[in-house]
Amino acid sequence: MRHLLLLISWLFCMVTWSNCAPLDSCSRVDSCSKCVNSTDGFGYRCQWCSTSNSCASEQTTTNNCHVDDSTLHEYNCPMDVSNVKYDESFMRETTTCFAYSAYLKDRNAMVLVFRGTTTLFQLIDEGISFFLHPKVQFNVTKGVVDGYYLNAFYSLWEKGIQKDVEKILNEKQDVKMWFFGHSLGGGLASIASSYVAKTYGIEGSRTKLVTFGMPRVGDIDLAEAHDELVPDSWRIEHSKDPIPALPPRTFPDEIDKGSFHHNTEIWYPQGMALGANFKIGSAPDTTVGRSVFPFNIEDHFTYFNVYLESWYLKGCNKENVAP
């Protein structure tokens, strides 16, 4: 029946020589939230393009809107970031040598840190999981997550992290929970932050997540659930680091399907020396994929002018960091 209506509409347009495509009802919508909750005259969903600030039917292919700028979901609508409070000095201080878990007495904060990929074979395993294996249900919130990351988290959790977390939560009143990670470790830190916050009922004001060069590890439902549990989240990305763009947001083939980032993106387009400019992403999953091409893998291993793969060999000395 729908195809018959489309044929009738096309014939009418040919006869009247008028521009009466079925997306007209979408094009009259002037805001993202209204757009993604609307349909065109034939029941297809409307999609919002943040580049042109316009609405169109999901059946429409437009040349002036990159696929990463289109959304069918209100969660990824552009937002006003003028009042977002990004504490850059805190982020620079966190580039340090914490290992696994620690308790900061002066901050009343427990810190959980997850390291990144260590071998080529591990990187290959991650890639195989990203592109060939279906995601699995995350058992504490809505949404799905990459099975490689979830299995890795549970392995670490059961080997000692759970015991450390529960000990601190039992001994320290109103303790804050801070999670950090680079690359693979960023994905693990993200999963850990949602898991701990949900499992132990820790309010958002006591949690913080900071990741560096983190890939996409879950879908849009998981991202939305994460932001409700851990609102103080920061995905820091260095210039042409390619890893945050993987796997592609639209994989396998539809907008808002497949992999998706949660808030909040902080992108340094021209290096990360003290005083370098940065941009705050205007939506949870923004356009980092375009920003990095052609990519530079060295940017993935260097954050705030620290080469993470060898810095620990120098004792994590701040004096070894270029200004």
Side-chain angles (χ1 to χ4, degrees):
M1 183 64 179
R2 177 177 291 179
H3 292 89
L4 177 60
L5 291 173
L6 287 171
L7 177 60
I8 293 172
S9 174
W10 178 80
L11 290 173
F12 179 74
C13 290
M14 292 297 292
V15 171
T16 61
W17 295 90
S18 62
N19 182 20
C20 53
L23 60 87
D24 282 350
S25 58
C26 293
S27 64
R28 291 192 291 269
V29 180
D30 60 2
S31 76
C32 181
S33 60
K34 292 180 181 178
C35 175
V36 297
N37 288 297
S38 302
T39 57
D40 66 17
F42 298 98
Y44 291 109
R45 296 169 65 190
C46 297
Q47 62 180 343
W48 182 259
C49 175
S50 60
T51 308
S52 59
N53 289 324
S54 62
C55 186
S57 169
E58 65 175 324
Q59 293 298 300
T60 302
T61 300
T62 56
N63 295 326
N64 62 344
C65 189
H66 191 279
V67 66
D68 283 348
D69 289 331
S70 297
T71 184
L72 289 163
H73 199 295
E74 190 169 359
Y75 167 75
N76 206 41
C77 281
M79 59 185 176
D80 180 9
V81 297
S82 60
N83 293 321
V84 173
K85 305 299 183 184
Y86 171 58
D87 186 356
E88 187 184 33
S89 62
F90 177 87
M91 305 307 172
R92 289 183 180 276
E93 289 175 3
T94 61
T95 312
T96 184
C97 269
F98 290 126
Y100 304 108
S101 65
Y103 174 69
L104 307 183
K105 184 176 180 180
D106 59 331
R107 304 283 189 97
N108 190 29
M110 183 175 192
V111 177
L112 296 181
V113 180
F114 298 84
R115 69 177 302 175
T117 303
T118 56
T119 67
L120 176 60
F121 294 107
Q122 187 178 31
L123 183 62
I124 292 173
D125 282 344
E126 292 173 49
I128 291 173
S129 180
F130 273 148
F131 292 104
L132 299 181
H133 296 165
K135 292 183 175 63
V136 298
Q137 187 66 42
F138 190 39
N139 60 343
V140 297
T141 69
K142 62 181 182 180
V144 295
V145 65
D146 184 272
Y148 182 93
Y149 281 77
L150 189 61
N151 291 335
F153 164 71
Y154 278 128
S155 177
L156 294 171
W157 180 254
E158 293 168 358
K159 288 181 179 179
I161 295 179
Q162 178 181 11
K163 182 178 179 181
D164 291 344
V165 168
E166 292 181 350
K167 181 176 186 296
I168 290 296
L169 289 176
N170 288 331
E171 294 179 356
K172 308 297 181 181
Q173 186 175 6
D174 298 327
V175 64
K176 296 183 283 290
M177 298 297 302
W178 293 349
F179 304 84
F180 301 90
H182 169 253
S183 190
L184 166 92
L188 295 177
S190 175
I191 294 171
S193 64
S194 292
Y195 182 90
V196 171
K198 180 68 173 181
T199 302
Y200 299 99
I202 301 174
E203 57 269 25
S205 61
R206 290 168 52 198
T207 61
K208 183 187 293 288
L209 170 68
V210 180
T211 67
F212 304 91
M214 171 188 162
R216 296 178 173 101
V217 297
D219 66 352
I220 192 169
D221 291 332
L222 183 72
E224 189 172 27
H226 170 88
D227 283 350
E228 293 174 358
L229 290 167
V230 191
D232 192 2
S233 293
W234 306 93
R235 293 187 294 102
I236 300 175
E237 296 159 0
H238 180 200
S239 192
K240 298 183 182 296
D241 181 351
I243 301 304
L246 297 175
R249 174 184 142 189
T250 53
F251 184 81
D253 58 4
E254 295 181 45
I255 296 172
D256 293 346
K257 298 289 185 181
S259 302
F260 217 88
H261 271 310
H262 55 65
N263 257 328
T264 298
E265 178 191 46
I266 304 294
W267 180 50
Y268 287 80
Q270 301 295 332
M272 303 186 74
L274 190 63
N277 293 328
F278 58 83
K279 295 182 179 181
I280 301 175
S282 61
D285 199 317
T286 47
T287 57
V288 66
R290 282 198 316 251
S291 303
V292 300
F293 187 80
F295 65 81
N296 180 3
I297 193 63
E298 288 300 311
D299 287 351
H300 180 61
F301 296 107
T302 306
Y303 273 80
F304 295 127
N305 285 21
V306 170
Y307 191 74
L308 301 176
E309 294 300 295
S310 61
W311 191 42
Y312 73 96
L313 295 174
K314 301 179 180 179
C316 303
N317 190 342
K318 290 287 184 180
E319 294 179 359
N320 292 327
V321 181

